[in-house]
Amino acid sequence: MNAIQFGEPVSGKTVSARVSPAGGLDILSRNEVARLRDASGSGLHQLLRRCALAVLTSGNLSDDPGSLFEQYPDFDIQVLQEDRGIKIELKNAPEQAFVDGRIIRGINELLVAVVRDIVYVSTQLEAGAFDLDDTVGITHAVFEILRNSRILRPQVDPNLVVCWGGHSISRDEYEYTKRVGYQLGLRSLDICTGCGPGAMKGPMKGATIAHAKQRRKGNRYIGITEPGIIAAESPNPIVNNLVIMPDIEKRLEAFVRLGHGIIVFPGGVGTAEEILYMLGILLLPQNRNIPFPLIFTGPQKSAAYFEQIDRFLRLSLGDEVARHYKIVIDDPAAVAHAMVSGIEKVRNHRLDNKDAFFFNWALDIPLSFQQPFRPTHQAMASLALHRGRQRHELAADLRRAFSGIVAGNVKEEGVKAIEQYGPFVIDGETEIMRALDDLLKAFVEQHRMKLPGGTAYEPCYVVRT
C-alpha cells in the first residue's frame, strides 16, 4: 500500500471492509438498530453514500461535487445488523481512509456522525417530531439534532468560537487563520467551523498546537455541514465532532445558537452569505441588547477585502450595521483579546438572564432566515434586492442571493441547473446591484469562488446593473 501524503490528490485506489463504529452508536435499542439497517435500503441510501464518501476522503482538496463519484463510481455503504449492534460495510472505499487495512479512528468517528445524523433526522421527520413550519419548531429541531450529536455541554463556561471564511484562500490568509487559532487556543477557547479546508481548517490547526502547549484535554473542533455542500468541502482531518444539519439554513442557525462569538476571515460568496445571515439577525430590534461578538479579520494583504465588504454592508443595510462588527487587521493577539472580552460579556448576560451557556435560546431568528431557500432560476430572479424595506428582510434576501451563487458554484443540484438553464439572473436596485457586481468581480479576480487548479471560473450568475 503506497503512503498518501496529506494534501495529495485522491489516488482512486480502494479498500472493502466491515467496520465497527467508533463512538456515537455504541448503545442502541433494537428499534434504533433496525432503523439504521433499513436506511441503506431506503431513499436515504444515495444521501448516505454521498456524505460517507466525503468523510472517507477527509482532506481532499477539490470542490467539484461530482469528482468524487467519478473517482469512486463503485463505492457503496451498507448498515448491517449483528447481535452486538451494527457494522458498517464499505465497498470500494478510498484507500486513504485506511492504514494497514484498518480504518483511521478519526475517519471512523466522522463516518458514524454521517450515519447518526442522516438517519436521526429522517426518522424524526417521518415521525412528525419536528414542526418545520414554525420558527419555534425549527429552533427546537436544531436543538434536538445538536443534542443527539452529543456536542451540547452543560455546566461549561462559554468558550466556543465559530470561525467563518473561505475554502479557497491565499497561503498568506491561511497562515493567518492558523495564527489566530493559535491565540484562541492559548486562551482555552474551542473552535467551530464549517469543517472544510482553508479558513475552516486553519483556526483548528493553530488551536491544536496551542491546546497541546497548555496541556489542555477534551478540546472541541466542531465541524457543522449539510448534505448539499459536504461533497465539495469534505471534513478536514482535525474535526473531532461532526454534525450534518438538514440544510444550509439550519446549519447557519446551529452556528449561531451553539457559538459564543464569531470570527470572520476572508472568503467568497459563502462567507458573504454567513455575514448577512448574522447581521440580519443582529439588526432585529428584539436582539439589540443581546451581546454577540463578531470580528472580521485577516492579514494586511486582506485589508482591502474587508474595506469592500464594509462598504457593501453600509450601502445596502445602512451605516448603523457597522456597530455590530469590529474589523481587526493583521493582529491575531488583538483578535483573541477582543473575543475573550466579548465572550465574557456573553457569559455575564446569560448569568443575569438565567440563560443556558450551551445553546442561545434568547436570540430571535425570524422565519425568513430559517425556511430553506431553493435557488431556482425563478426564485433568484424574484429576490427583492432594494432599500426601503426592513433591513433584516433585505439582509435575508441578500443572503439568499449569495446562497444561490454558492449552489451554482459547488452544489450538485445548483451546478446541474446552471448547465441546463444557464446562469442565474440577479436584479434589484441599481446602486446595490453595482456594488454587488463589483464585490463578485473582486471575488473572481482573487480566486475566491473555486479552488485553483481546475478550469477557469465561469460565473453561474448575471447581475443586472
Side-chain angles (χ1 to χ4, degrees):
M1 184 184 300
N2 294 326
I4 300 176
Q5 300 299 320
F6 175 73
E8 287 187 3
V10 179
S11 69
K13 294 182 179 180
T14 62
V15 172
S16 294
R18 187 168 291 186
V19 176
S20 297
L25 296 175
D26 46 353
I27 302 176
L28 296 173
S29 70
R30 289 185 177 182
N31 286 340
E32 288 171 322
V33 171
R35 287 203 302 268
L36 290 170
R37 180 199 63 210
D38 294 342
S40 58
S42 70
L44 292 176
H45 185 232
Q46 286 305 314
L47 179 61
L48 193 62
R49 182 171 172 255
R50 181 169 71 247
C51 294
L53 185 56
V55 302
L56 289 165
T57 54
S58 174
N60 180 37
L61 299 181
S62 170
D63 55 8
D64 181 353
S67 65
L68 287 183
F69 281 107
E70 290 175 2
Q71 289 175 293
Y72 300 100
D74 298 323
F75 167 73
D76 199 13
I77 177 173
Q78 300 288 335
V79 181
L80 307 175
Q81 184 174 10
E82 293 190 353
D83 290 341
R84 293 188 178 183
I86 68 168
K87 294 282 188 180
I88 298 176
E89 186 170 59
L90 303 172
K91 296 180 179 179
N92 302 308
E95 183 190 50
Q96 72 175 75
F98 297 81
V99 175
D100 297 335
R102 291 179 178 271
I103 192 167
I104 295 170
R105 171 79 187 202
I107 292 177
N108 190 334
E109 292 175 357
L110 298 182
L111 190 62
V112 166
V114 167
V115 176
R116 177 200 67 209
D117 291 344
I118 289 175
V119 176
Y120 174 74
V121 171
S122 68
T123 53
Q124 292 298 97
L125 290 173
E126 203 173 281
F130 296 156
D131 179 5
L132 300 182
D133 296 319
D134 172 74
T135 184
V136 174
I138 292 173
T139 295
H140 275 276
V142 171
F143 173 81
E144 293 292 349
I145 295 168
L146 292 175
R147 180 169 65 175
N148 185 65
S149 71
R150 304 181 183 180
I151 64 171
L152 297 180
R153 289 190 179 178
Q155 313 305 322
V156 175
D157 275 356
N159 79 326
L160 187 62
V161 180
V162 172
C163 294
W164 286 339
H167 72 297
S168 181
I169 58 176
S170 70
R171 188 71 197 182
D172 285 345
E173 289 170 341
Y174 175 68
E175 292 297 329
Y176 183 80
T177 68
K178 289 199 296 183
R179 290 165 55 204
V180 172
Y182 177 78
Q183 292 295 330
L184 296 174
L186 288 177
R187 291 160 177 82
S188 296
L189 297 173
D190 286 325
I191 307 294
C192 175
T193 77
C195 92
M200 291 168 275
K201 175 188 168 189
M204 290 183 173
K205 195 166 186 179
T208 300
I209 302 301
H211 288 156
K213 281 189 173 183
Q214 294 285 23
R215 302 297 188 263
R216 187 171 181 268
K217 298 180 180 179
N219 307 308
R220 291 191 295 169
Y221 309 109
I222 300 171
I224 303 178
T225 186
E226 54 102 1
I229 206 166
I230 191 171
E233 294 179 358
S234 62
N236 72 68
I238 304 171
V239 172
N240 62 10
N241 290 272
L242 177 67
V243 187
I244 301 176
M245 303 302 292
D247 50 58
I248 188 64
E249 286 76 14
K250 293 174 188 61
R251 180 196 191 200
L252 289 168
E253 183 164 352
F255 280 128
V256 172
R257 299 285 186 191
L258 188 62
H260 302 110
I262 294 176
I263 295 174
V264 182
F265 296 104
V269 285
T271 304
E273 175 184 7
E274 292 163 341
I275 290 171
L276 286 160
Y277 179 89
M278 188 71 251
L279 289 176
I281 292 168
L282 294 179
L283 285 169
L284 284 169
Q286 51 267 49
N287 292 329
R288 185 176 183 87
N289 296 319
I290 297 178
F292 203 112
L294 177 60
I295 301 171
F296 299 172
T297 190
Q300 188 61 49
K301 290 182 179 179
S302 302
Y305 167 87
F306 284 112
E307 289 172 5
Q308 190 167 16
I309 291 285
D310 182 58
R311 284 197 301 272
F312 177 77
L313 293 173
R314 288 173 181 269
L315 170 70
S316 55
L317 301 176
D319 286 332
E320 187 188 349
V321 72
R323 67 180 285 269
H324 294 290
Y325 56 84
K326 180 178 183 179
I327 300 176
V328 179
I329 298 299
D330 206 23
D331 195 338
V335 172
H337 280 301
M339 184 52 62
V340 168
S341 175
I343 289 179
E344 183 63 21
K345 292 177 182 177
V346 170
R347 181 181 184 276
N348 292 335
H349 181 269
R350 296 197 190 181
L351 285 173
D352 291 342
N353 291 275
K354 298 180 173 58
D355 292 334
F357 287 162
F358 57 85
F359 192 83
N360 192 345
W361 291 104
L363 207 61
D364 191 293
I365 300 182
L367 196 60
S368 58
F369 286 79
Q370 295 177 308
Q371 290 180 317
F373 173 65
R374 187 164 176 260
T376 63
H377 283 71
Q378 181 178 352
M380 290 288 283
S382 300
L383 296 173
L385 305 179
H386 56 80
R387 289 168 290 192
R389 46 191 311 224
Q390 293 188 64
R391 290 180 302 162
H392 73 274
E393 291 294 346
L394 173 56
D397 267 355
L398 285 168
R399 197 281 302 177
R400 293 183 183 109
F402 284 107
S403 186
I405 298 173
V406 172
N409 282 347
V410 300
K411 293 187 180 182
E412 188 175 3
E413 183 180 11
V415 171
K416 288 181 178 178
I418 299 300
E419 290 174 351
Q420 185 173 1
Y421 302 111
F424 294 129
V425 176
I426 304 173
D427 199 1
E429 182 181 335
T430 301
E431 195 171 2
I432 292 179
M433 290 302 97
R434 286 174 179 165
L436 175 61
D437 193 43
D438 288 343
L439 187 63
L440 293 173
K441 285 178 179 176
F443 288 169
V444 174
E445 291 170 1
Q446 296 163 15
H447 305 289
R448 300 189 185 279
M449 290 294 197
K450 296 274 284 182
L451 285 168
T455 58
Y457 175 71
E458 290 289 337
C460 64
Y461 57 88
V462 172
V463 179
R464 286 185 175 168
T465 58

